[in-house]
Amino acid sequence: MLNNSIGKLLHEAKQRLMERHLDTNAAEILIETRLGLSRSELWQSLDREISEEGQLQFEKDFARYLDGEPAQYILETAPFYGYDFYVDPRVLIPRPETEELVLLAENHLKKQSAQNALDICTGSGIIAITLKKLFPKLPVTASDLSEKALQVAQKNAKALQADVCFKRMNLIDAFLETGEKFDLIIANPPYIAESEKSEMSASVLAHEPSLALFAENEGLAIYQELIHKLPKIVMDNYWIAFEIGYTQGDAVKELFQKSFPQASVIVHKDINQKNRMVSCTNILI
Ligand code: GLN
């Protein structure tokens, strides 16, 4: 087989993506990631010949992408907060909104240190691992119901050399037994209502784990159970922040106010000006 240049491969792939009204950036992402090139290195390598092996790999990847599979699952990697995380269909693909949740926690921790942090519904471990990388001295625990997700989280923690303690349980149930307490609690739990399915992309519905996406009661069921149980595992001073669906600000705020009547509860917007996080704290700074 005659070898193609990277430039020709890229050009043809973009052409095909355009014809199908798909994101043409996918061609660059698939090629550069497999070849281990940065975007600027890719531009400098357009005349380079791609090996037969490289070309076959690209054809396989590209066919999967055209078939609707997310590029992050094809490449088994996704960026989050400057780190590369391993992902596969056992876990959700990290979303940029969740980076804003971590930023909120980072800004809090810069002002007020914590003694024991907990990430609930950790999934691939992105939140817990990133916190540990940012604050290496902070003890970080992470929980999830899914054994399969925890396998992915553990793989990520090892690869990124983050010493996070992973525990399998429903939400925080094991801590209700052991009495372990936390002063920084963060979560991006499943919060999508079944009724929202019709507005979701086919690719998400077909490939991402529904356990990580959906919750009963208009998507509020996990918040209801979790926030009801939370007062039992918080230390005297606590800071809690959850990601939410953009319509859930008032409902989740109310749940926090019921469980923590003395706390200050704030709904935060994301960069798209949508309600995206709720924090609850009794620390005044
Ligand atoms: N905490 C993980 C994330 O932010 C998983 C979230 C989930 O499974 N709902 O991606």
Side-chain angles (χ1 to χ4, degrees):
M1 181 165 77
L2 249 186
N3 283 349
N4 263 330
S5 70
I6 292 180
K8 184 158 176 262
L9 197 70
L10 195 60
H11 179 75
E12 287 172 1
K14 286 172 93 78
Q15 212 68 35
R16 290 177 64 191
L17 289 167
M18 239 169 347
E19 283 161 18
R20 297 204 188 196
H21 307 286
L22 289 168
D23 179 10
T24 56
N25 194 32
E28 279 96 343
I29 291 172
L30 291 175
I31 295 177
E32 74 197 7
T33 308
R34 286 292 187 204
L35 297 179
L37 303 172
S38 68
R39 186 60 56 96
S40 59
E41 286 164 346
L42 176 71
W43 297 139
Q44 285 158 33
S45 310
L46 294 180
D47 292 333
R48 213 175 91 189
E49 272 200 356
I50 189 159
S51 67
E52 192 172 328
E53 205 190 355
Q55 184 149 344
L56 287 174
Q57 179 70 60
F58 176 75
E59 276 161 20
K60 258 206 257 169
D61 292 343
F62 196 58
R64 287 171 68 182
Y65 186 79
L66 292 180
D67 215 31
E69 224 176 305
Q72 295 92 330
Y73 285 156
I74 298 170
L75 299 165
E76 296 186 323
T77 184
F80 184 81
Y81 227 79
Y83 297 100
D84 287 328
F85 284 85
Y86 170 87
V87 291
D88 68 25
R90 289 177 288 182
V91 295
L92 221 59
I93 295 168
R95 305 295 203 267
E97 287 82 355
T98 310
E99 294 187 321
E100 295 195 56
L101 178 69
V102 171
L103 180 64
L104 197 68
E106 183 182 6
N107 286 337
H108 168 74
L109 283 166
K110 278 184 184 161
K111 287 184 272 180
Q112 175 78 40
S113 64
Q115 294 170 39
N116 205 17
L118 173 65
D119 171 29
I120 307 158
C121 303
T122 196
S124 59
I126 49 169
I127 299 174
I129 293 168
T130 307
L131 278 181
K132 187 70 191 175
K133 297 304 286 182
L134 293 169
F135 303 94
K137 287 196 199 122
L138 174 67
V140 180
T141 301
S143 72
D144 205 289
L145 181 60
S146 160
E147 182 61 42
K148 289 180 184 170
L150 287 173
Q151 287 164 3
V152 173
Q154 249 140 2
K155 186 178 165 95
N156 276 319
K158 199 166 169 214
L160 291 164
Q161 297 183 315
D163 183 14
V164 173
C165 174
F166 292 101
K167 296 199 166 139
R168 181 172 178 267
M169 68 185 78
N170 172 52
L171 303 176
I172 54 170
D173 292 359
F175 306 123
L176 300 175
E177 307 282 317
T178 62
E180 188 176 353
K181 291 189 166 32
F182 302 89
D183 56 353
L184 186 127
I185 300 174
I186 189 165
N188 175 25
Y191 60 69
I192 302 173
E194 291 281 335
S195 59
E196 289 174 277
K197 259 190 182 165
S198 56
E199 295 154 42
M200 293 172 69
S201 88
S203 169
V204 171
L205 290 172
H207 297 282
E208 299 202 58
S210 54
L211 179 71
L213 292 166
F214 297 104
E216 309 267 307
N217 289 353
E218 290 300 299
L220 293 167
I222 309 267
Y223 300 113
Q224 288 163 337
E225 180 182 345
L226 184 53
I227 296 171
H228 177 71
K229 291 173 173 173
L230 269 184
K232 297 204 180 69
I233 67 147
V234 297
M235 291 178 175
D236 289 345
N237 291 314
Y238 55 82
W239 185 91
I240 307 165
F242 292 167
E243 184 172 320
I244 56 159
Y246 68 96
T247 60
Q248 297 170 328
D250 290 341
V252 175
K253 183 174 178 174
E254 205 174 296
L255 290 169
F256 271 120
Q257 282 170 332
K258 249 199 236 156
S259 272
F260 299 94
Q262 315 297 337
S264 134
V265 182
I266 301 172
V267 180
H268 306 258
K269 292 193 186 301
D270 63 19
I271 51 163
N272 298 313
Q273 294 310 311
K274 288 186 167 171
N275 286 344
R276 184 62 62 194
M277 293 151 283
V278 182
S279 64
C280 168
T281 183
N282 66 344
I283 302 170
L284 301 166
I285 11 175

